[in-house]
Amino acid sequence: MTASKRVVHVISHTHWDREWYMPYEAHHVKLIETMDTLLDTFEADPDFRSFYLDGQTIILDDYLQVYPEKREQIQQLCDEGKLSLGPWYILQDEFLTSSEANVRNLQIGHRDARKFGPISKLGYFPDSFGNMGQAAQLLAQAGIDTAVFGRGVKATGFNNRVEDTAGLESPYSELIWQAPDGSSVLGILFANWYNNGMEIPIDPTLAKPYWEQRLSRAEQYASTSQLLLMNGCDHQPVQTDLSEALRVARELFPDYEFVHSNFDDYMKAVQAEKPDDLSLTRGELRGQKTDGWYSLVNTASARVYIKQLNQQNQTLLEKVAEPISAIAHQLGKPYPHGLFQYAWKTLMQNHPHDSICGCSVDEVYHEMKTRFAKSMEVGKALANESAKFISAKVNTNHFAQYSDSAAPFVLFNTSGYEGSSVITVEIEWSHRYFDQSENPVAIAALVKERTHGEGYLINASGERLEYSVQDLGVRFGYDLPQDKFRQPYMARALRLTFESGALPAMGYETFAWIPSRNDNKSVISKRDSLVSGQTTLENRHLRLTVESDGSYSVYDKKNKQLFLDLGHYEDVGDIGNEYIFKQPLGDCLITTKGSNAEVQIVEDTPYRAAIEIIHRLAIPSQADEQLSEEVRTMVEFRQRVAARSESLVPLVIVTRVSLEREGKGVHVHARMENQSKDHRLRVLLPSDILAATHFADSIFEVAERQNVPAKEWENPSNCQHMQAFVDVHAEHRGLTVAAKGLNEYEVLQDGRNTIALTMLRSVGELGDWGVFPTPEAQCLGEQEAEWMIIPYGGSANRFDAYREAYRFPIPLTAMGTSLHDGELALSNHFLKWNGEQLAFSSLKINEERGDLMARWYNLAGSATRLAIQPNAASRTYISNIMEDPSTDPLQPTLQIEGFKIITVGVSAETASHSK
């Protein structure tokens, strides 16, 4: 600690949750009042120097939506340095939003802040429910060298008070926060929370004890003479008499220098004084060394349906619409930057922690579902338009040799990984357009008369494929040409299910339906069935056997590893809230183990087979009446004594397990009608792997986590976040479980390292600081869950398993087209790459320069090499997550250091497709 006069930096702010204990518009009204007061205060008090707008530019979007005429006034305040904007668009939950969503958040936040002036270069995480391990690398690539955060280290609760230094990760508020790749930033913990300087008294008799307590606590953990006091809190109104309060403070405490400060000045002062002995904290900040009760990880399972919608929306934008649009742009189609900005902003309005975490009042989720729907409609439209544009350039006349009625369609894979999938597509042919002068009934009859549902399916090489078909008859459709009025039509339609074969990692393959009455191929060949026993499915990689109680075993043929007792369901009570799971004392779990399940084969084709399993359980209808009283009187959840009700309701779980011919994993889909309240349902997947750690897909990394929590941990539950998958492995045996929108898991200490995946958690209150009933968080009605089980041969093969897991949730895109000439071949790749232990992240077009931008990240701590094969004439360069240009040319093969995130740009002047 320096001996110089201590400087007290008082930073005015408000932490603005757009929606939480009130719906968005109710908070919106309060925001308008707060901003009006702020602008009036700036105008009335020249000594009111600065206000921090919570690190998120959406606050100004929301304000200017109501008062667009105030833009000039805000611009002037930014020019004067009184308002600080960015770096984020919204304050997201880091673990429940995807890697690319975290990047888009920074990109759009910077873009919007730049319109008003200098961008706040501060990694601002005031209330994140844990912090991602790669934050320091992301921030460093964005030119940010300091982060402030409220959770993840030391003692964390809703008030985050730091009580003592025993066993803490840092003795100071300041520490060095390092990402796995070695990038580091100065990390500053909000010791005593981000409200430690709120509502400063102007009465000297009140101000003296106020400051004595606040200064003492700030000094206790500050490593420099620079003390931080945050003058604000959640939805905190502006302290309009702050200048007077600081004048009083200066008179009472002349040995301190009180400054109405801002983060830029505070950070510069701390950086200049920081000692050499700051603690080094690596990777994730998840409250690993706390008692575990207030890590708030169980928000990952609150309102699971919201997480599932989020996964669908993110995947659609970043893994389908953006790459297809980027490919179309290379072929001459303008890239729809504005619509992508709109779609991403609409999606990210669902990403604040109180929104995506599921810990708000019910009305919030009505609006969130609408936002998801709006964003996805835009994403689908952009993907379809680009797919149609590309398909129109494919030379499909090749199929005319089989029939002049051939119905070609193009199948796009934009996952970044080569692979085969079983897909269901709908195709149309024999379109008959009509106008208002014609009779649609007669048109439909004409199309029906001249078409039929018989024929065969071929690929680009003319090979006939096995398929199943459903004749959808004649149906109505329409086109919306860019140069004429809408064009209604009638056409014949079929629904085809088939195996795609190996598709390019970033490209397409063309197929065609050939109508024919005389030259059909049988849909099913029993000789090639994947059904090898009454309840056994088998391909060349795996053997799946379902037992009488509905559990199943999977045998990995290549590695000779057997996984037993997979797929038991477990139901327990939950008397916690949207934030925190709490099992009632003495609660007995209800399980499907040893039950009598209904098991039957429901699909048997050469390319896929499936077994349906039906479990019928009786579970308590809800918690007993004690819980309602405990909620009403705000009994802290750890002190609750409520139990589960003795009344029972049925829980029927219908599970479909399927195996594809080329599949290296088992697909599982479960659906249920939830009639019970106050409970949690999980699926149990024993790994039987001896390991002290496991691995979870997270933000630009697969994070290694301890199976057994630290000694400080008291919570009986040790649930964790995941993005795409969780994995347990040893040298010769590994099990990866991938899921779609299921973000909570636990590795159980049961002697088997069982992966417990949360499918449903039903609770009836928000929790936190008041009584806010949330009956819709009980998630009554039909629910579903989907996951994939990927066994493999241990450490040396884990990255292959991870690629299967990453590919699992990304859909293929099918686009019907006509017979026509074109410049493109029937099969095409647009981005060839290879690199061991690398994960593909995104492909898009830069807004400012029109360059093609592709991103990967290294999943391992060791260096690897990335080989890219763009067009030979392309000028490629190394960029960063902000897509900044570089004059350094990229070599054909690039070394990627351990855990590094790498962005590659391809100049717009040279970017083109490869045929």
Side-chain angles (χ1 to χ4, degrees):
M1 178 76 70
T2 66
S4 61
K5 188 175 183 180
R6 291 175 174 82
V7 181
V8 182
H9 295 262
V10 178
I11 297 181
S12 295
H13 80 110
T14 184
H15 175 52
W16 204 264
D17 302 295
R18 293 182 81 236
E19 50 197 11
W20 181 21
Y21 53 87
M22 298 191 300
Y24 163 67
E25 292 299 351
H27 281 301
H28 194 191
V29 170
K30 302 303 292 183
L31 173 65
I32 302 306
E33 295 173 359
T34 300
M35 288 295 296
D36 284 346
T37 302
L38 175 62
L39 298 185
D40 291 344
T41 303
F42 274 126
E43 189 170 343
D45 181 2
D47 293 329
F48 193 89
R49 296 181 52 204
S50 176
F51 195 88
Y52 192 67
L53 286 177
D54 207 28
Q56 49 179 336
T57 60
I58 196 171
I59 287 178
L60 283 190
D61 280 0
D62 290 344
Y63 184 63
L64 294 174
Q65 180 185 31
V66 176
Y67 289 124
E69 66 272 17
K70 300 288 183 74
R71 187 180 188 90
E72 185 175 337
Q73 185 178 0
I74 289 171
Q75 180 67 66
Q76 181 179 345
L77 292 169
C78 292
D79 292 342
E80 295 171 354
K82 292 184 176 181
L83 280 182
S84 184
L85 303 182
W88 306 103
Y89 174 61
I90 52 91
L91 290 183
Q92 78 282 27
D93 183 90
E94 300 159 54
F95 287 113
L96 294 178
T97 54
S98 70
S99 299
E100 288 299 324
N102 276 278
V103 169
R104 298 300 181 282
N105 193 6
L106 266 179
Q107 291 174 339
I108 292 175
H110 276 59
R111 173 183 177 272
D112 287 357
R114 191 177 296 116
K115 298 173 185 176
F116 291 92
I119 302 164
S120 172
K121 288 292 189 174
L122 172 67
Y124 197 62
F125 306 99
D127 197 16
S128 296
F129 300 165
N131 300 107
M132 54 188 167
Q134 288 280 33
Q137 184 176 179
L138 293 176
L139 296 176
Q141 289 199 21
I144 297 173
D145 63 8
T146 305
V148 294
F149 48 87
R151 301 182 190 276
V153 298
K154 301 186 179 181
T156 58
F158 285 114
N159 60 3
N160 205 53
R161 285 203 181 96
V162 177
E163 300 298 346
D164 59 64
T165 59
L168 301 180
E169 292 143 289
S170 171
Y172 301 128
S173 302
E174 298 81 29
L175 51 83
I176 301 301
W177 186 14
Q178 189 178 80
D181 77 311
S183 302
S184 63
V185 295
L186 174 65
I188 300 174
L189 172 71
F190 283 132
N192 308 304
W193 212 221
Y194 50 72
N195 65 349
N196 65 328
M198 68 184 287
E199 297 181 351
I200 302 172
I202 59 173
D203 183 339
T205 61
L206 298 175
K208 189 173 187 298
Y210 175 97
W211 282 113
E212 287 174 343
Q213 195 266 351
R214 296 315 196 271
L215 294 174
S216 172
R217 297 191 69 82
E219 289 174 333
Q220 186 176 359
Y221 295 102
S223 66
T224 72
S225 65
Q226 312 297 319
L227 307 181
L228 175 62
L229 273 84
M230 298 294 289
N231 177 235
C233 196
D234 305 344
H235 308 113
Q236 176 76 24
V238 180
Q239 183 168 352
T240 57
D241 60 0
L242 180 63
S243 296
E244 174 64 13
L246 293 180
R247 185 192 65 78
V248 171
R250 295 181 187 110
E251 291 181 354
L252 291 172
F253 299 88
D255 293 336
Y256 294 83
E257 181 182 351
F258 291 87
V259 181
H260 190 200
S261 190
N262 56 67
F263 272 116
D264 287 344
D265 291 344
Y266 169 70
M267 290 187 299
K268 289 176 185 176
V270 173
Q271 288 277 9
E273 286 187 28
K274 67 183 180 184
D276 296 331
D277 62 343
L278 291 181
S279 299
L280 178 66
T281 297
R282 294 183 173 90
E284 298 178 319
L285 306 180
R286 298 181 291 105
Q288 299 98 315
K289 293 188 177 181
T290 69
D291 66 10
W293 281 112
Y294 283 98
S295 69
L296 310 186
V297 67
N298 299 124
T299 55
S301 57
R303 303 181 192 261
V304 168
Y305 67 93
I306 286 294
K307 278 70 169 178
Q308 292 169 325
L309 287 171
N310 183 54
Q311 181 272 319
Q312 294 169 26
N313 200 337
Q314 290 177 152
T315 301
L316 172 63
L317 292 184
E318 69 194 49
K319 297 297 191 291
V320 179
E322 283 184 337
I324 286 185
S325 297
I327 294 170
H329 177 74
Q330 290 181 281
L331 298 172
K333 188 178 189 299
Y335 192 80
H337 290 289
L339 285 169
F340 271 121
Q341 292 277 359
Y342 172 74
W344 271 110
K345 278 190 167 184
T346 304
L347 168 59
M348 286 193 293
Q349 287 164 21
N350 285 345
H351 283 177
H353 56 269
D354 292 311
S355 304
I356 193 59
C357 286
C359 52
S360 293
V361 294
D362 289 340
E363 294 88 343
V364 166
Y365 299 96
H366 303 164
E367 187 152 5
M368 283 184 67
K369 286 191 285 187
T370 299
R371 292 189 200 117
F372 282 131
K374 291 170 67 173
S375 179
M376 283 194 275
E377 284 299 329
V378 174
K380 290 173 186 175
L382 296 180
N384 286 338
E385 286 300 313
S386 291
K388 185 182 297 184
F389 179 87
I390 299 166
S391 299
K393 292 180 175 293
V394 176
N395 184 3
T396 57
N397 268 339
H398 167 82
F399 296 112
Q401 62 182 301
Y402 301 98
S403 170
D404 57 7
S405 299
F409 59 95
V410 182
L411 197 57
F412 294 87
N413 175 26
T414 51
S415 68
Y417 304 105
E418 181 180 301
S420 176
S421 299
V422 173
I423 183 174
T424 297
V425 302
E426 292 186 5
I427 62 169
E428 296 178 341
W429 80 99
S430 192
H431 295 71
R432 172 60 164 84
Y433 293 89
F434 60 92
D435 57 33
Q436 293 181 348
S437 66
E438 297 179 278
N439 182 357
V441 176
I443 301 297
L446 174 65
V447 174
K448 182 178 181 180
E449 181 181 354
R450 72 186 187 189
T451 60
H452 54 81
E454 299 178 42
Y456 56 93
L457 179 67
I458 60 174
N459 62 17
S461 301
E463 298 172 320
R464 296 196 182 193
L465 305 180
E466 294 158 314
Y467 64 90
S468 58
V469 60
Q470 180 183 357
D471 187 354
L472 302 178
V474 176
R475 69 183 184 189
F476 168 81
Y478 60 90
D479 291 336
L480 298 174
Q482 293 185 344
D483 58 351
K484 62 177 69 175
F485 193 53
R486 61 178 181 254
Q487 302 288 296
Y489 64 78
M490 293 291 180
R492 190 80 183 204
L494 294 178
R495 182 177 293 125
L496 295 170
T497 300
F498 65 99
E499 183 181 57
S500 67
L503 297 176
M506 185 63 64
Y508 66 78
E509 181 89 13
T510 310
F511 301 83
W513 173 255
I514 309 300
S516 173
R517 289 189 184 277
N518 304 318
D519 196 10
N520 264 340
K521 181 174 181 177
S522 173
V523 177
I524 301 297
S525 172
K526 291 295 183 183
R527 179 183 57 195
D528 298 325
S529 172
L530 300 176
V531 177
S532 61
Q534 189 173 3
T535 58
T536 299
L537 311 180
E538 192 167 358
N539 65 14
R540 61 192 178 96
H541 304 293
L542 304 173
R543 182 169 64 242
L544 165 74
T545 301
V546 178
E547 308 298 335
S548 60
D549 65 356
S551 65
Y552 37 93
S553 64
V554 176
Y555 180 65
D556 177 357
K557 295 181 177 181
K558 177 181 178 181
N559 301 293
K560 297 180 172 55
Q561 295 290 332
L562 178 63
F563 295 83
L564 298 168
D565 301 321
L566 302 168
H568 289 301
Y569 295 111
E570 166 200 276
D571 189 83
V572 298
D574 187 349
I575 57 172
N577 52 47
E578 290 183 317
Y579 292 96
I580 300 166
F581 165 76
K582 176 64 168 66
Q583 189 173 357
L585 296 174
D587 184 41
C588 294
L589 64 85
I590 299 170
T591 177
T592 59
K593 187 173 185 178
S595 65
N596 291 317
E598 302 168 28
V599 181
Q600 62 173 333
I601 303 287
V602 292
E603 183 178 15
D604 182 5
T605 71
Y607 45 83
R608 184 174 65 191
I611 297 175
E612 183 181 80
I613 306 162
I614 301 178
H615 288 102
R616 302 182 188 276
L617 299 174
I619 64 174
S621 60
Q622 59 189 10
D624 61 24
E625 295 180 359
Q626 180 69 28
L627 180 60
S628 296
E629 179 65 15
E630 290 172 338
V631 169
R632 187 182 66 81
T633 57
M634 292 185 65
V635 175
E636 204 263 353
F637 66 90
R638 286 176 291 186
Q639 307 304 318
R640 293 176 180 175
V641 296
R644 301 189 80 175
S645 169
E646 294 183 359
S647 65
L648 302 179
V649 294
L651 174 63
V652 180
I653 307 172
V654 180
T655 307
R656 177 188 170 102
V657 292
S658 61
L659 186 64
E660 297 181 2
R661 176 162 49 192
E662 297 300 323
K664 297 178 181 178
V666 176
H667 291 244
V668 187
H669 178 275
R671 70 179 192 275
M672 70 221 76
E673 182 75 21
N674 181 38
Q675 301 179 42
S676 177
K677 302 176 182 179
D678 312 314
H679 71 121
R680 182 187 68 184
L681 179 67
R682 303 197 293 189
V683 61
L684 305 181
L685 304 162
S687 71
D688 291 316
I689 296 170
L690 185 62
T693 64
H694 66 275
F695 296 78
D697 181 49
S698 190
I699 306 305
F700 288 112
E701 69 168 330
V702 176
E704 184 175 9
R705 297 172 182 165
Q706 297 293 321
N707 294 348
V708 178
K711 63 180 185 300
E712 296 91 343
W713 199 270
E714 297 176 2
N715 189 342
S717 171
N718 185 26
C719 291
Q720 307 291 343
H721 291 96
M722 75 176 199
Q723 281 281 319
F725 60 84
V726 59
D727 168 71
V728 181
H729 69 263
E731 184 178 1
H732 300 297
R733 180 181 171 95
L735 183 68
T736 297
V737 178
K740 296 183 180 181
L742 303 180
N743 296 117
E744 182 184 278
Y745 73 90
E746 183 176 7
V747 176
L748 303 180
Q749 300 310 296
D750 59 352
R752 305 185 69 181
N753 275 341
T754 293
I755 296 171
L757 195 61
T758 305
M759 303 163 58
L760 172 69
R761 193 165 75 86
S762 302
V763 292
E765 67 154 338
L766 189 156
D768 201 351
W769 63 273
V771 180
F772 302 99
T774 56
E776 292 177 19
Q778 298 285 6
C779 299
L780 300 177
E782 185 169 324
Q783 311 293 327
E784 55 185 328
E786 194 170 354
W787 62 94
M788 183 180 183
I789 300 167
I790 308 167
Y792 63 96
S795 305
N797 306 119
R798 70 181 179 114
F799 299 114
D800 293 334
Y802 295 172
R803 289 189 178 192
E804 290 295 317
Y806 282 132
R807 197 168 66 88
F808 168 60
I810 303 172
L812 302 176
T813 301
M815 177 55 61
T817 189
S818 60
L819 294 172
H820 50 67
D821 290 327
E823 64 189 74
L824 297 180
L826 293 175
S827 181
N828 213 329
H829 60 79
F830 294 89
L831 182 65
K832 273 189 173 181
W833 69 274
N834 61 72
E836 295 295 324
Q837 70 200 40
L838 290 178
F840 178 80
S841 190
S842 72
L843 182 71
K844 62 185 289 290
I845 299 297
N846 171 266
E847 182 175 8
E848 297 175 353
R849 303 180 306 279
D851 292 356
L852 184 73
M853 310 303 298
R855 187 158 32 252
W856 293 263
Y857 52 101
N858 191 346
L859 296 171
S862 58
T864 189
R865 303 196 72 82
L866 169 65
I868 311 173
Q869 296 179 356
N871 184 272
S874 298
R875 187 186 74 80
T876 57
Y877 57 90
I878 300 174
S879 183
N880 54 36
I881 64 164
M882 304 308 291
E883 302 177 4
D884 294 328
S886 169
T887 57
D888 297 330
L890 180 69
Q891 300 302 318
T893 302
L894 174 68
Q895 178 161 305
I896 312 297
E897 299 302 326
F899 300 121
K900 204 72 177 178
I901 304 166
I902 183 73
T903 304
V904 174
V906 182
S907 172
E909 299 174 359
T910 57
S912 64
H913 65 278
S914 58
K915 297 183 181 180

